Amino acid sequence: IPHHTELYGSTPKTSLPIVYHSDYNITFMGLEKLHPFDAGKWGKVIHFLKEEQFITDENIVEAREASEQDLLVTHTKRYLNRLKGNGHERDFLDDQRVFIMDMYNRHIYPRDAYAKRAIKRRVELDWGTEDSEYLQKVELHCDGALNEVRPDVIVYNAGTDILDGDPLGGLSISPHGIVKRDELVFRAARRRGIPILMVTSGGYQKKTARIIADSILNLHHQGLIGPEREGLSSAATSPTSGPGSSGSALTAI
């Protein structure tokens, strides 16, 4: 039986391609302050972007919560019942439509040899990898992957746990390196006219919110994100525009 969803809707062309909802920020009687993960970082990103007068409540896209009926548009009931949080590699292990490129500290991730088989392009890094080597590999392998496949859309998992000092990442990338990494990925997509969706993902230091905001501002200053222009597909409403599109960009904070 087909399932109906009202999860998607049209957005004004003046909206910036930034999706956010205040419910992203987790609070529980102040106990969240004791957790190493900054559970309110997404609200802080929005605050910083407002301080820079880049966004207002009126020109960003408010996220809608997906119900079970929404999820059943693309997933089976059996899939939802079995979902155990094993990550996207396991989810797409045998799906030839999905090409996964992953850059990671090889000493700590992924600790799942079975799921690792799903990664089509593995970029393995050592402890303490710094900006120069990291950015060189980002550019090299982004171009290599996109020369190998021609995706309809790129989902870019832009974690900040690569930041120097992160308790889990084990790399030594500077704030500037993270900003530059995002720019390189967006430029690779733009050159090929491929729509891109960036999710801000993990990062376990309090200063990551400022870095994410700086990266979004840089993407805007570089002309890589902005309101929909005449003749361009809207990433907020049509993130799977075909290969012939002009390369829409959407940031989900």
Side-chain angles (χ1 to χ4, degrees), residues 20 71 105 109 141 176 188 211 231:
Y20 170 74
L71 296 175
N105 181 340
Y109 176 88
H141 288 281
H176 170 76
I211 298 169

Side-chain angles (χ1 to χ4, degrees), residues 9-248:
S10 60
T11 57
K13 291 187 177 182
T14 54
S15 294
L16 289 163
I18 295 176
V19 180
Y20 170 74
H21 197 286
S22 58
D23 286 350
Y24 290 172
N25 305 294
I26 302 170
T27 59
F28 184 73
M29 301 175 64
L31 292 177
E32 69 280 356
K33 296 177 182 177
L34 303 177
H35 196 279
F37 186 82
D38 185 359
K41 76 174 183 179
W42 297 280
K44 293 173 185 174
V45 172
I46 293 296
H47 172 74
F48 290 138
L49 294 176
K50 286 180 177 178
E51 277 193 336
E52 298 289 340
Q53 299 183 341
F54 175 52
I55 64 169
T56 66
D57 289 334
E58 287 70 39
N59 67 1
I60 60 175
V61 180
E62 185 175 70
R64 301 179 184 180
E65 183 177 2
S67 67
E68 182 172 314
Q69 287 301 308
D70 292 321
L71 296 175
L72 286 171
V73 171
T74 54
H75 296 296
T76 64
K77 185 77 173 179
R78 181 169 175 264
Y79 173 87
L80 295 180
N81 289 338
R82 293 184 60 188
L83 186 60
K84 302 295 183 184
N86 289 324
H88 62 283
E89 281 96 354
R90 280 180 173 262
D91 294 342
F92 296 114
L93 184 63
D94 297 315
D95 193 332
Q96 298 306 310
R97 299 169 301 172
V98 178
F99 183 97
I100 298 175
M101 168 182 152
D102 209 341
M103 292 185 66
Y104 51 86
N105 181 340
R106 66 187 180 91
H107 301 287
I108 61 172
Y109 176 88
R111 292 175 176 170
D112 185 338
Y114 180 74
K116 189 176 181 179
R117 293 166 43 207
I119 304 174
K120 302 294 197 304
R121 180 175 283 255
R122 304 170 189 170
V123 187
E124 299 191 326
L125 306 170
D126 285 312
W127 293 109
T129 297
E130 297 181 348
D131 286 14
S132 178
E133 177 186 350
Y134 180 79
L135 293 174
Q136 183 181 35
K137 288 184 175 179
V138 167
E139 187 167 24
L140 174 68
H141 288 281
C142 278
D143 284 337
L146 293 175
N147 288 337
E148 185 176 346
V149 295
R150 179 70 179 190
D152 293 325
V153 64
I154 296 169
V155 179
Y156 170 40
N157 188 17
T160 49
D161 46 3
I162 62 172
L163 181 65
D164 186 22
D166 187 275
L168 294 182
L171 303 181
S172 298
I173 309 305
S174 71
H176 170 76
I178 292 174
V179 171
K180 188 63 178 177
R181 173 202 63 180
D182 295 345
E183 180 184 331
L184 288 172
V185 174
F186 270 70
R187 287 196 183 281
R190 174 59 63 87
R191 283 196 299 271
R192 295 165 175 83
I194 304 172
I196 180 169
L197 164 66
M198 180 172 89
V199 291
T200 51
S201 191
Y204 302 91
Q205 299 183 71
K206 301 297 184 184
K207 56 188 174 183
T208 59
R210 178 73 255 183
I211 298 169
I212 293 168
D214 287 343
S215 178
I216 293 170
L217 291 168
N218 179 63
L219 292 173
H220 175 65
H221 293 153
Q222 299 296 328
L224 296 169
I225 63 171
E228 180 184 358
R229 299 191 299 275
E230 197 67 35
L232 291 188
S233 300
S234 170
T237 58
S238 182
T240 55
S241 303
S245 78
S246 298
S248 301

